[in-house]
Amino acid sequence: AEPIFVGFSRSGSISALDPHDDLGWLAVGTRSVKFLGEKGAYELPWSDIRAVRYRPNAHTLLGLGRWISFEGLKDGKQLRMMVEPRVHSTLLANKREGARLLRKLRALIPPTASKI
């Protein structure tokens, strides 16, 4: 699939004004999910991902957005990589884009992951 422009955050980072730690590109492959942003790059192999689901963010309070959260476990540590599409000029259009993205992701989730 082609990379999609997203806002990005890792678990534990919270801001009331802007939920995104970084902006960049999400590439979804058959072996992993990769984020390449202005501040860094992160990769989660599908084998470590246990769930892909929505999580609330600051935009959720206004009904205008939410995270798509990749959640997993590696070496006994919980992992979370959260993205929110930023391809459109409005938050509401990006929320709809997130629903389309989650549907696509669920088709790729390996049997070890949950489709919560």
Side-chain angles (χ1 to χ4, degrees):
E2 291 189 27
I4 181 171
F5 192 65
V6 297
F8 169 85
S9 184
R10 293 169 292 171
S11 59
S13 48
I14 298 172
S15 169
L17 299 177
D18 186 1
H20 306 122
D21 290 336
D22 200 354
L23 293 172
W25 298 94
L26 177 72
V28 179
T30 56
R31 294 183 183 198
S32 66
V33 179
K34 300 175 186 176
F35 171 79
L36 178 60
E38 296 175 336
K39 298 177 185 176
Y42 303 90
E43 181 175 8
L44 280 179
W46 279 111
S47 59
D48 293 340
I49 296 172
R50 299 291 176 254
V52 180
R53 67 177 81 190
Y54 291 127
R55 291 273 180 190
N57 66 16
H59 300 147
T60 306
L61 298 172
L62 303 171
L64 297 174
R66 58 196 166 200
W67 292 119
I68 294 174
S69 180
F70 299 90
E71 300 177 8
L73 195 63
K74 177 138 182 126
D75 300 327
K77 294 181 183 177
Q78 290 189 346
L79 307 170
R80 187 179 296 167
M81 182 172 89
M82 298 175 293
V83 298
E84 182 177 38
R86 308 304 293 151
V87 297
H88 301 288
S89 60
T90 68
L91 289 172
L92 191 55
N94 285 314
K95 181 180 179 183
R96 288 190 295 267
E97 188 69 35
R100 284 189 289 274
L101 177 58
L102 185 61
R103 281 192 302 275
K104 289 179 185 178
L105 291 168
R106 287 186 169 161
L108 298 172
I109 295 172
T112 57
S114 169
K115 297 180 183 185
I116 296 173

